[in-house]
Structure formats: structure tokens, C-alpha cells
Amino acid sequence: MPGMHGSVTAVTALQKADLIVALGARFDDRVTGKLDSFAPYAKIVHADIDPAEIGKNRAADVPIVGDAREVIADLVQAVQAEHSEGNKGDYSAWWSDLNRWRETYPLGYDLPEDGSLSPQQVIQRIGQLAPDDTIFTAGVGQHQMWAAHFIDYEQPATWLNSGGAGTMGYAVPAAMGAKAGMPDRPVWAIDGDGCFQMTNQELTTCALNNIPIKVAIINNGALGMVRQWQTLFYNQRYSNTVLHSGPDEQKANRGTRVPDFVKLSEAMGCVALRCEDPADLDKVIAEANAINDRPVVVDFIVHEDAQVWPMVAAGTSNDEVMAARGVRPDFGDGEDD
Ligand SMILES: Cc1ncc(C[n+]2csc(CCOP(=O)(O)OP(=O)(O)O)c2C)c(N)n1
Ligand SMILES: [Mg+2]
């Protein structure tokens, strides 16, 4: 994934590429960062079914209007024709750069020191314990980025989210749609405690109409993504991002979170579970995986200060990607300037 919370390798590869083939891309600000410094060396082949997208943000050197399925087939033929002319290109130096960046800047996270649940670990374990054909959806915020980073998607169309459109509340209805369309496949909604409050009422419809989705509320007691910006750029002024009613200490506020998502979900006809202790994580996920006749909601009480890395701060250039906690990557060969 490139962009504001993309991997260092993906962001850097676009910044240093001399050719980008973009299929159905919007070149939105979450991907490009500061637009006039995005991919400065790249020629752009831009294919999109909507002619209004071509050249909207980034000028296309080769504009193609068409269905991606057909465009890809034609592009493959064109590349094969070049190859049979002997024009293959040598990408070994490029691949060794990419592999070095991948090894040096892998995605990762630290476990909280106070023994509370790590949101990244919760999401990673849900991904690992789910069958390969599971469909995942996500809301918008930190949990969305972690669901993109830490679940290994094994099959196409198993990751449904609103991307840069940022529509909070997407996870539950998207999961309903996926489950209604593919009733034999497990569907997990990875949701935030903020997002869940926008569309959770649809769970009543799930309970009444036999749409047994699974919902993981990554409950950090906060509008976490906005809180992250407040931590990093606004001197920890947590204005209007606190979703719990108790004091700010993590352990102290566990009992005072409003609403109580377990009671709320039970009231809507769901099985509701809560997990607060890392030692219970796998057991609770397995319990949720085993229930297939009713919607299940798991309230995972996670640490509120976990942050999403890497990050390109809003309005800055992708060249300024921070690998973690403000640390700029050092490519060791002058490549970082
Ligand atoms: C309708 C709407 N309002 C506000 C935002 C800005 N926004 C982006 S992420 C976010 C916080 C989401 O909180 P939560 O669902 O708890 O997710 P977390 O970041 O804590 O994982 C907000 C308010 C948005 N994308 N959409
Ligand atoms: Mg939250």
C-alpha cells in the first residue's frame, strides 16, 4: 500500500520510479502527498473507465479510457510484443533496491508496556486465525490502516474498505453486503469504536435476517486517527476525540466506557464478547469464529496510544515519509534527500 500510511518501500518506489502504470487510480491526496512533489521522475500511463479522472490531479503521459480488465489484457500483449522484439529491460538493480528497503523498513509494531491489548496484534491474530477465503471489511481510522497492514489477504476481493474516501461507518454495512452475497464465506468487519457508533444499528437487520457477520470493535476509547494527529502535531490537545467517560488512564476507564458495546450488541440480537487480556485473545477469536448462526460482536479493549506507522504528515511530500515515530528512513547511499 502506498500513501500516507503506506509502506516505506511502496512510497519510496513511487517517488523513485521512472514509469507508473496506474489502473483505476484517483491520485488522491492520501496517495500522492504534496502533489507537486509526487513521483517526480515518473512518466504516467493512466487507465481509467471515467475520462474525468485522467489528468485530474496528475497529468498523464499516456491516457487510456477503458475497462481495467480489457486495458490490462491489451497492455500485456503490448509488453509481450516488446519482449519478443528483444526489449526486455534489466530490472535487477531496481529489485535489489526494493528488496533492501523491504528488509530495512518492514511493517511492525511494539506491544504496549502496561500489558494491555495491542490493536495491531488483535487484527493480525484475527487475520491469522480466519480461513483463507474470509472477507474482511474495515471502517476508517487507525484500525483501517492496521487491517491493511497486518492481515495477509490471500484471495482477490477479500479486502473491502473505502480507502481514501474515508467513509466512517462503512465496515458493518459492507460486511452485511458481503455476507448476503456470499453466505458461505466468513466475513469479519474490523471496526473502530467511533465508526461502529455510526452504523451498528444494522446489526438488528443482520440478526433478524440471518446475516451472521462477525464484528471486531477495536475499542481504543478514542477517535484514534484524529487523536494521533493531536499527539503528533497539536501538543496532545485531545479536543473532542475522547470516546470514553472515565479518567484518561487506560486501566481506570475500562469499566466506564459508554456505550457498553456488549450490552448494545446483545440488545440487537448478537452474541457479544469482550476481550481485554492478551492471554485470552486467541480463545476469544476462536469462540467468535465458531459461531455461524448469529452475528457476533467482539469488544476488544485495546491501548489508546498505539500509532499508525509509517506516516507521511498531511501536506508534506512523500519524500518525507517517517518510518516510525518521526524517524526518517536512511537509505544509506544519499537516496533519502
Ligand atoms: C464522517 C466522518 N467524520 C470524520 C472523519 C475523520 N476521521 C477519520 S478517522 C476518524 C476516527 C475514527 O475513529 P474510530 O472509528 O474509533 O477509529 P480509530 O482511528 O480509533 O481506529 C475520524 C473522525 C471521517 N473520515 N468521516
Ligand atoms: Mg477508536
Side-chain angles (χ1 to χ4, degrees), residues 142-143 192-194 218-224 243:
Q142 294 182 311
H143 64 282
D193 47 333
I218 307 302
N219 187 352
N220 53 7
L223 299 170
L243 295 180

Side-chain angles (χ1 to χ4, degrees), residues 30 139-144 146 165-169 191-198 218-227 241 243 308:
R30 296 296 139 123
V140 176
Q142 294 182 311
H143 64 282
Q144 173 193 27
W146 292 320
T167 52
M168 286 178 70
D191 215 357
D193 47 333
C195 291
F196 185 70
Q197 297 195 59
M198 292 182 162
I218 307 302
N219 187 352
N220 53 7
L223 299 170
M225 184 56 92
V226 181
R227 181 182 168 89
T241 52
L243 295 180
V308 182

